[in-house]
Structures are given as structure tokens and as C-alpha cells.
Amino acid sequence: MILRRPMNQKVAVSVVFVAAMFMTILDSTIVNVALPTLARNFKVSLDSVDTVVIAYLVSLAVFISASAWLGDRLGGRRVLLGATGLFTLASAACGLAANLPELIVFRIIQGMGGGMMAPVGMALLYRTFPPAERIRASSILTVPTNLAPALGPVLGGLLVTSLSWRWVFYVNVPMGAAAIVFGVLFLTEQPQPRPAPFDLLGFLMAGTGLGAAMYGVSEGPLHGWGTPAVLATLLIGVGLLVAVVVRALRHPAPVIDLRLLSNRLFRSATGVMLFAIMAFGGSLYLAPLFLQDGRHVSAFTSGLTIFPEAIGIMVGAQIATRMAYPRYGPRRLITAGVVLVALAVASMALIGGETNLWWLRLITFIMGLGMAQVFVPCQAAAFATISQQATARASTLFNTQRQIGQAVGVAIVSTVLSIVGLERGLHAYHVAFVVAAVMALAAAAFALTIHDRDAASTRPGGFGRRRDPSLGTERAVVRS
């Protein structure tokens, strides 16, 4: 019989959530490195093997919408550990796949687990940390969300070259197993009021709409936006998502609660993250292509050149947490961060065919410093005026737009490359980097709508909160 030992839940939740997020984000980048090897191994075209990535993203988008209800209904601890277990088992199955159809099926199952891990884990994290400590919780999030994308290409290149493509999936197994054992031993449940009945129709509409839109956005740059399959899925996806918006505003307990966007601070932070992720995701997608296709360096050298971005984020997270956020608040810090990111990304357009790669490494480090000033305060402030009861629903909405932003950012820069034409060499990449910089500046426009007073409870200084039960949100007020 396993006895659960008492442990500080801030530590327990952080460990399990960081491990879960690290696995899912690492998986998204590490698999890309193995695609050419998979195509050769299964004797299929590279276009066909792209389905391995698309299937995962679509499944992730479908199941993310159900995570809030499941977490509140079955318990966040149970759902987080169950989703981690499902993801881990599916990872092992992916490594054992004998053919492409099997691998695609197992990737869909992986996406089911991955889609639930992020929102449920984030809800647990913000329910565990009080508002004044959420800046510290946000700095915890920077580890998986930013180290994993930079580590993925390096680790993937090593595993594929030294061992086998199967190890890009097996690498998740020991990490997932350790997270589950740790969670079973130390993680305790956080009881929540019983949620309203599940909005099945809303889930089917949201899941199908998000999945179709994600498929269309991912395939559009590869096969052309006018391709019948791409055009049809985009029209279906957009149509269903419009219907989801209409239904969500009328339904008493929708699967995706868009009414939370009436919360001024949450709306502004969500807008910042959407465009910041578009710029950041697009840049991280462009950089390895620029290096490997444009500069003709190896995948390993490419990964090492981009890796300083992760170091910059981890250093920047400490600056934001310990000094900048308490002193300057979210509005000025986030605005400065996205402007710095825009300048860094635009500077990549100045890297030529003979430019020393250490300049690019310096630029990616600066981009990481800037993104830390966006990610850390934005995530700390976003939930400052969200009630405990609404945290799971807010987390689902926050993570949904994050997935959309990632896909749209990559789609936009890929389309720019296609329009300009890769036959024009580095010029196409330079134009795409400038477009990504413009997306970062769009995030700055949302940052300027943030009111520091709304996020006062997340900063030291004697601020409390007053709850608005009609919206499931809380407002910051000065404590007398």
C-alpha cells in the first residue's frame, strides 16, 4: 500500500505541472526533427508524414475545450495525472509503431492527453498560489514553455542520429512515469463546487471547429490556401467557431466561457499572449529553416544557435520576478518586453549569408530576455481578477488562444516564405522575420490597454480583492 506523504502543495503542483508541460512542448518540436527519417523509414513522402504533426495538433485542439469541465467534475489531480498517464502510454506506443497509420492513431491519443494537461495543470497552479505569489508561479511556467522548444531540435538531432527516430517518443516515458509516481505520492486534490452539466453540443462544435481550423491553418502553407481540402476545413472550422461564440454568449455554462473576456485585465493579457505567441512561435519556426536551408548548417548547429533564446528567457524570468514586475507592474514591463522582442526579431533580417552566427546567438538571447518580460508578468496578471471557481474555465480559454496563436504565427510566416519565394534565397526569410516583428508590435498595442491597478493584488503593496459573483471574477481594491 502506497502512503501519500504530506508535502507543500506549491512544490507538488509545480513539479508535476512543469514535467507535464515540458513533455508536451518538447514533443511538439522534437518530432519535427525526425520527420525526414520517418518518411524514409515508412517509405512515404514528406508531405504524407507531416500528418504525424497535424494529427497531434488537431487532437490537442479538440480535447483542450473539455479540460475545464473534466477538471472540476472529476478533480484536477485525477485529471492531470490521468492525462499525463495517457500521454506517456501513447508516447511509448508511438515508439513501437510499425507503420504510418499506427503512428498517426497513437499521436491522436497523445494529443488527447496533451490537450488536457496544460489547462488543468495551470488551473491547479493558480488555485494553489495566492495572487501575491503568482509572479513566482509564472516564472515556474517559463521552464517548460521556453526551455523545451529550444532543447527539442538539439535533443531530437542527437537521438535520431545516435539512436533511432523511436527515441524521440521514448524520451517522454521515464519523465511521464516519474511525474505520475510523484503526483500519486504527494499531490492532493483541490475540491471544487460541482460544475453544471457538460455542454456536449458545445464541446462537439468547439472541438470540431478548432480541429478543422487547426488542420486548415497547418496545411494551408504546405499545399496552398486555395486547395479544396484546406479551403473546406477552414470554412467549416471558422463557421463552427462563429457558432460556438454565439452559443457561448447565450448558454449558462458553455464549454468555452467567452464571457470571461468581459474581464478587462484577462482580455488584455489574453490579447497580448495571442500576438506574442504568434511572433515568438513564428520566429522559432523560421530560425532553424533559415539556418539549415538558407545558411546550410547542420541541424545540431542550428539547435545550438537557437538555444541561447532559452537561456535568455530563464535569466529574464529572474529579472522580471525579483526586480522588474514588483517595481514597474505589468503594463510597462510587458510593453517594453514585446518592443524588445520586435527589435530582436527584426534584427534577424540583417543576418546575411556570411554573418558570424554569434550575432544570431546574441539576438536570440535578447529575444529570450524580452519574451520573459512578456510571459512572466502576463501570466501572473491574467488571472489576478479571476475567481477560484472560474480559474479552470479561464485556463482553458487562455490555453486555447495560445494553441491558436502558435498555429497562426507559423502559418503566416510560412505563407510569407511561399509568396516571396524561397528561390530568392535569404530575402524570403528576411521578409518573414519583419512580418513576425510586426506581430510582436501588435501585442504591444494590447499591453498598453492593461491597467496596473487591476493587477495590484499580484504585486507587493497591500492590495486585496473584491469578488464580482455575476462574472466569476475579482476586482483589486486598496485594503484599508
Side-chain angles (χ1 to χ4, degrees):
M1 181 178 178
I2 297 178
L3 298 177
R4 190 181 303 156
R5 302 172 185 176
M7 174 179 276
N8 186 328
Q9 286 305 288
K10 294 174 185 175
V11 175
V13 171
S14 299
V15 168
V16 177
F17 181 52
V18 164
M21 286 292 289
F22 187 85
M23 282 194 303
T24 55
I25 298 173
L26 179 69
D27 190 81
S28 299
T29 56
I30 198 173
V31 172
N32 292 336
V33 179
L35 291 181
T37 304
L38 286 170
R40 291 193 298 269
N41 187 79
F42 293 137
K43 297 179 174 60
V44 298
S45 67
L46 195 56
D47 284 351
S48 298
V49 84
D50 278 344
T51 312
V52 171
V53 175
I54 305 299
Y56 176 77
L57 291 175
V58 170
S59 178
L60 200 76
V62 169
F63 286 93
I64 200 171
S65 60
S67 59
W69 187 88
L70 287 171
D72 286 345
R73 177 67 179 82
L74 302 177
R77 172 183 180 272
R78 187 177 291 114
V79 173
L80 178 58
L81 294 181
T84 305
L86 183 63
F87 183 91
T88 304
L89 290 174
S91 297
C94 286
L96 296 170
N99 52 57
L100 185 60
E102 279 188 12
L103 181 57
I104 290 170
V105 170
F106 295 139
R107 285 287 281 171
I108 291 172
I109 298 172
Q110 249 194 331
M112 293 169 60
M116 290 184 286
M117 280 196 286
V120 174
M122 182 176 283
L124 280 174
L125 194 74
Y126 284 121
R127 282 170 172 164
T128 303
F129 284 81
E133 297 180 17
R134 285 179 184 170
I135 186 65
R136 184 155 58 96
S138 297
S139 68
I140 292 169
L141 293 177
T142 64
V143 177
T145 55
N146 300 290
L147 179 60
L151 184 62
V154 180
L155 183 59
L158 283 174
L159 292 174
V160 171
T161 303
S162 305
L163 296 171
S164 158
W165 65 265
R166 299 181 185 276
W167 279 93
V168 302
F169 299 107
Y170 289 152
V171 73
N172 293 323
V173 176
M175 193 183 312
I180 293 167
V181 171
F182 184 91
V184 168
L185 289 174
F186 302 117
L187 201 60
T188 60
E189 194 59 85
Q190 298 177 353
Q192 297 297 320
R194 189 180 183 88
F198 185 59
D199 178 17
L200 179 60
L201 179 59
F203 167 70
L204 294 175
M205 291 169 62
T208 306
L210 285 169
M214 194 70 73
Y215 176 87
V217 166
S218 300
E219 291 285 82
L222 297 174
H223 303 293
W225 294 101
T227 305
V230 171
L231 198 56
T233 51
L234 281 174
L235 289 174
I236 291 170
V238 172
L240 283 172
L241 291 177
V242 170
V244 167
V245 171
V246 174
R247 178 181 174 81
L249 296 176
R250 296 176 178 175
H251 196 278
V255 68
I256 296 180
D257 192 356
L258 296 176
R259 283 187 293 264
L260 288 169
L261 293 176
S262 64
N263 179 309
R264 183 173 65 181
L265 179 57
F266 184 73
R267 180 175 64 248
S268 296
T270 300
V272 170
M273 286 297 290
L274 176 64
F275 284 96
I277 288 292
M278 286 169 60
F280 186 62
S283 300
L284 286 185
Y285 171 80
L286 278 174
L289 290 178
F290 171 77
L291 288 164
Q292 293 176 55
D293 181 61
R295 293 288 302 263
H296 307 294
V297 306
S298 68
F300 184 66
T301 300
S302 170
L304 289 178
T305 302
I306 300 167
F307 191 73
E309 168 269 325
I311 300 174
I313 284 197
M314 287 186 284
V315 171
Q318 296 306 310
I319 295 172
T321 303
R322 299 176 184 276
M323 296 180 287
Y325 188 84
R327 177 173 296 181
Y328 300 111
R331 186 173 184 268
R332 283 177 289 177
L333 185 58
I334 294 171
T335 302
V338 288
V339 170
L340 184 59
V341 170
L343 291 173
V345 174
S347 298
M348 293 182 182
L350 302 177
I351 302 295
E354 302 300 323
T355 307
N356 191 308
L357 289 182
W358 281 104
W359 284 110
L360 185 55
R361 292 174 182 129
L362 176 61
I363 290 171
T364 57
F365 176 79
I366 293 171
M367 183 174 73
L369 282 176
M371 282 308 302
Q373 313 315 308
V374 179
F375 282 140
V376 174
C378 200
Q379 290 173 150
F383 293 80
T385 54
I386 297 294
S387 69
Q388 287 278 340
Q389 291 79 6
T391 297
R393 288 177 281 131
S395 178
T396 293
L397 185 55
F398 194 82
N399 281 278
T400 297
Q401 60 82 29
R402 190 182 186 117
Q403 290 297 324
I404 292 172
Q406 178 83 17
V408 171
V410 171
I412 289 174
V413 297
S414 298
T415 302
V416 171
L417 290 179
S418 177
I419 292 172
V420 178
L422 289 175
E423 66 275 4
R424 298 189 63 183
L426 297 183
H427 178 68
Y429 292 102
H430 291 163
V431 174
F433 279 127
V434 171
V435 171
V438 172
M439 288 188 265
L441 291 177
F446 278 93
L448 291 173
T449 67
I450 292 174
H451 293 253
D452 285 337
R453 190 172 184 81
D454 292 344
S457 61
T458 65
R459 300 168 62 191
F463 286 85
R465 292 175 294 175
R466 180 175 66 242
R467 181 168 299 166
D468 182 349
S470 64
L471 293 177
T473 61
E474 297 166 348
R475 296 173 180 168
V477 295
V478 179
R479 181 181 297 147
S480 58

